[in-house]
Amino acid sequence: MDILVHTCCSNCAIYPVKFLKQNKFNPTLFWYNFNIHPYSEYKLRLDSLKKLQQHWFLNIIYEESYKDFYKFLREVVGKEKERCEICYRIRLEKTVKKACEIGINLFTTTLLVSPYQNFDKIVFIAKELAERHKVNFYDKDFREGYKESIKISKELGLYRQKYCGCIYSEAEKHLRKIDYE
């Protein structure tokens, strides 16, 4: 069964791709991550996914439009505490629309592998979008494979990021360091 997989990064893609293939799914990955800041970090993550694609011969659709970074900022300013929900919604809606465009009736996201993401919020938003666009959402809890993903990413020499991706999570990473000093 064909499935479109929103892919936030190479590390988080490893276990879901492995699981989906073992369970007779035919995954097509979809890169759409305008939220990553700075652009140099965006490029590192994009290049890492391309490296994984070469290792595993993955089918990936790249939506490399960084101009939506400004859309993200406009949506979040003044609502910083809701930034993750806003980010999930924008990326998942683009994924659903891409699935409809290419004729795939099922989607999921690699965000569901990270213990650092709000699993319930992601599932809620994805199911809402699936219903609105008349497609199906596969809500598998991939978190069981998080450690395996990290292990394999190290073995493959993939770039491993140190924060979620947005300008706010980058700032929080640095602010935590300052607080401890």
Side-chain angles (χ1 to χ4, degrees):
M1 174 178 282
D2 290 338
I3 186 169
L4 188 63
V5 183
H6 168 263
T7 305
C8 59
C9 67
S10 61
N11 302 298
C12 290
I14 290 170
Y15 181 77
V17 166
K18 185 177 171 190
F19 176 89
L20 291 167
K21 285 184 172 194
Q22 288 172 344
N23 287 278
K24 309 297 185 229
F25 288 93
N26 178 31
T28 296
L29 280 60
F30 179 57
W31 166 267
Y32 178 64
N33 297 293
F34 56 84
N35 59 307
I36 299 170
H37 179 81
Y39 183 75
S40 56
E41 179 73 18
Y42 173 90
K43 281 293 290 166
L44 286 168
R45 294 181 194 203
L46 177 59
D47 292 346
S48 184
L49 183 60
K50 288 179 178 181
K51 185 175 180 181
L52 179 64
Q53 180 180 23
Q54 291 174 346
H55 280 292
W56 284 10
F57 307 103
L58 300 172
N59 183 22
I60 303 177
I61 298 169
Y62 294 97
E63 183 82 27
E64 294 185 47
S65 177
Y66 198 68
K67 68 181 180 211
D68 286 346
F69 174 71
Y70 296 110
K71 175 183 180 178
F72 171 70
L73 291 179
R74 282 191 298 276
E75 293 279 334
V76 173
V77 169
K79 299 177 267 182
E80 289 81 5
K81 287 187 175 19
E82 298 145 39
R83 72 179 190 265
C84 295
E85 180 178 344
I86 292 166
C87 188
Y88 298 151
R89 185 171 298 282
I90 294 170
R91 292 188 288 163
L92 291 174
E93 183 150 33
K94 185 77 159 193
T95 303
V96 169
K97 287 178 178 178
K98 181 58 74 175
C100 292
E101 177 187 317
I102 63 176
I104 294 179
N105 192 39
L106 184 64
F107 78 101
T108 193
T109 176
T110 62
L111 292 167
L112 298 177
V113 79
S114 175
Y116 303 105
Q117 300 297 328
N118 186 330
F119 180 89
D120 293 333
K121 183 60 73 177
I122 295 165
V123 169
F124 177 82
I125 291 167
K127 285 183 175 181
E128 179 184 284
L129 292 168
E131 186 176 321
R132 183 176 340 133
H133 292 276
K134 311 268 189 282
V135 296
N136 297 301
F137 175 66
Y138 186 63
D139 64 352
K140 169 71 176 145
D141 187 343
F142 294 119
R143 291 177 292 190
E144 66 194 20
Y146 178 75
K147 289 182 180 174
E148 181 180 344
S149 282
I150 299 305
K151 178 182 174 286
I152 294 171
S153 73
K154 287 179 182 178
E155 290 169 358
L156 294 174
L158 300 176
Y159 171 71
R160 296 192 49 242
Q161 61 269 20
K162 295 168 182 52
Y163 61 98
C164 180
C166 77
I167 191 169
Y168 301 100
S169 65
E170 179 194 22
E172 287 172 355
K173 175 188 82 156
H174 295 294
L175 290 171
R176 276 193 297 275
K177 286 181 188 177
I178 293 169
D179 288 345
Y180 291 120
E181 293 177 346

